[in-house]
mmCIF file of all heavy atoms in Angstrom:
data_model
loop_
_atom_site.group_PDB
_atom_site.id
_atom_site.type_symbol
_atom_site.label_atom_id
_atom_site.label_comp_id
_atom_site.label_asym_id
_atom_site.label_seq_id
_atom_site.Cartn_x
_atom_site.Cartn_y
_atom_site.Cartn_z
ATOM 1 N N VAL A 316 5.787 -80.125 -171.407
ATOM 2 C CA VAL A 316 6.025 -79.206 -170.292
ATOM 3 C C VAL A 316 4.999 -79.387 -169.185
ATOM 4 O O VAL A 316 5.316 -79.245 -168.000
ATOM 5 C CB VAL A 316 6.076 -77.738 -170.766
ATOM 6 C CG1 VAL A 316 7.186 -77.541 -171.775
ATOM 7 C CG2 VAL A 316 4.748 -77.263 -171.331
ATOM 8 N N ARG A 331 13.053 -89.762 -152.847
ATOM 9 C CA ARG A 331 13.426 -89.463 -151.465
ATOM 10 C C ARG A 331 14.351 -90.531 -150.912
ATOM 11 O O ARG A 331 15.356 -90.231 -150.256
ATOM 12 C CB ARG A 331 12.170 -89.354 -150.607
ATOM 13 C CG ARG A 331 12.448 -88.984 -149.164
ATOM 14 C CD ARG A 331 11.178 -88.751 -148.373
ATOM 15 N NE ARG A 331 11.463 -88.210 -147.060
ATOM 16 C CZ ARG A 331 10.527 -87.823 -146.190
ATOM 17 N NH1 ARG A 331 9.245 -87.932 -146.513
ATOM 18 N NH2 ARG A 331 10.872 -87.336 -145.012
ATOM 19 N N ALA A 340 12.402 -80.677 -149.132
ATOM 20 C CA ALA A 340 13.098 -80.805 -150.416
ATOM 21 C C ALA A 340 12.254 -81.579 -151.410
ATOM 22 O O ALA A 340 12.259 -81.287 -152.615
ATOM 23 C CB ALA A 340 14.447 -81.493 -150.217
ATOM 24 N N LEU A 373 12.270 -73.777 -180.426
ATOM 25 C CA LEU A 373 13.409 -74.686 -180.509
ATOM 26 C C LEU A 373 14.383 -74.465 -179.350
ATOM 27 O O LEU A 373 14.919 -75.430 -178.782
ATOM 28 C CB LEU A 373 14.121 -74.491 -181.845
ATOM 29 C CG LEU A 373 13.324 -74.885 -183.095
ATOM 30 C CD1 LEU A 373 14.088 -74.522 -184.354
ATOM 31 C CD2 LEU A 373 12.986 -76.367 -183.077
ATOM 32 N N ALA A 406 10.837 -74.782 -170.127
ATOM 33 C CA ALA A 406 9.388 -74.820 -170.341
ATOM 34 C C ALA A 406 8.808 -73.418 -170.451
ATOM 35 O O ALA A 406 7.871 -73.178 -171.216
ATOM 36 C CB ALA A 406 8.712 -75.577 -169.199
ATOM 37 N N GLY A 442 -0.755 -83.326 -167.907
ATOM 38 C CA GLY A 442 -0.792 -83.268 -166.453
ATOM 39 C C GLY A 442 -1.457 -84.494 -165.858
ATOM 40 O O GLY A 442 -1.009 -85.046 -164.845
ATOM 41 N N ALA A 444 -1.867 -87.518 -167.355
ATOM 42 C CA ALA A 444 -1.171 -88.769 -167.652
ATOM 43 C C ALA A 444 0.118 -88.912 -166.854
ATOM 44 O O ALA A 444 0.717 -89.988 -166.840
ATOM 45 C CB ALA A 444 -0.857 -88.843 -169.148
ATOM 46 N N LEU A 455 8.739 -100.157 -163.483
ATOM 47 C CA LEU A 455 9.405 -101.046 -164.427
ATOM 48 C C LEU A 455 10.879 -100.708 -164.620
ATOM 49 O O LEU A 455 11.684 -101.608 -164.904
ATOM 50 C CB LEU A 455 8.690 -101.002 -165.778
ATOM 51 C CG LEU A 455 7.220 -101.441 -165.774
ATOM 52 C CD1 LEU A 455 6.660 -101.444 -167.186
ATOM 53 C CD2 LEU A 455 7.074 -102.838 -165.144
ATOM 54 N N ILE A 608 -11.431 -85.369 -171.898
ATOM 55 C CA ILE A 608 -12.771 -85.290 -172.491
ATOM 56 C C ILE A 608 -13.402 -83.931 -172.209
ATOM 57 O O ILE A 608 -14.036 -83.325 -173.084
ATOM 58 C CB ILE A 608 -13.650 -86.438 -171.953
ATOM 59 C CG1 ILE A 608 -13.134 -87.786 -172.479
ATOM 60 C CG2 ILE A 608 -15.112 -86.240 -172.361
ATOM 61 C CD1 ILE A 608 -13.778 -88.988 -171.824
ATOM 62 N N LEU A 625 -19.916 -71.621 -169.315
ATOM 63 C CA LEU A 625 -19.178 -72.883 -169.282
ATOM 64 C C LEU A 625 -18.075 -72.843 -168.232
ATOM 65 O O LEU A 625 -17.859 -73.822 -167.503
ATOM 66 C CB LEU A 625 -18.587 -73.177 -170.658
ATOM 67 C CG LEU A 625 -17.837 -74.504 -170.776
ATOM 68 C CD1 LEU A 625 -18.751 -75.675 -170.444
ATOM 69 C CD2 LEU A 625 -17.244 -74.669 -172.180
ATOM 70 N N GLY A 685 2.251 -63.345 -177.889
ATOM 71 C CA GLY A 685 3.117 -64.153 -177.040
ATOM 72 C C GLY A 685 2.972 -63.789 -175.579
ATOM 73 O O GLY A 685 2.970 -64.653 -174.706
ATOM 74 N N GLU A 722 -4.283 -89.388 -139.302
ATOM 75 C CA GLU A 722 -3.953 -87.960 -139.270
ATOM 76 C C GLU A 722 -3.551 -87.444 -140.644
ATOM 77 O O GLU A 722 -3.929 -86.338 -141.047
ATOM 78 C CB GLU A 722 -2.817 -87.711 -138.264
ATOM 79 C CG GLU A 722 -3.217 -87.871 -136.799
ATOM 80 C CD GLU A 722 -3.329 -89.333 -136.386
ATOM 81 O OE1 GLU A 722 -2.881 -90.214 -137.168
ATOM 82 O OE2 GLU A 722 -3.867 -89.606 -135.292
#
Side-chain angles (χ1 to χ4, degrees):
V316 300
R331 183 174 189 175
L373 294 175
L455 299 184
I608 292 170
L625 182 59
E722 289 77 12

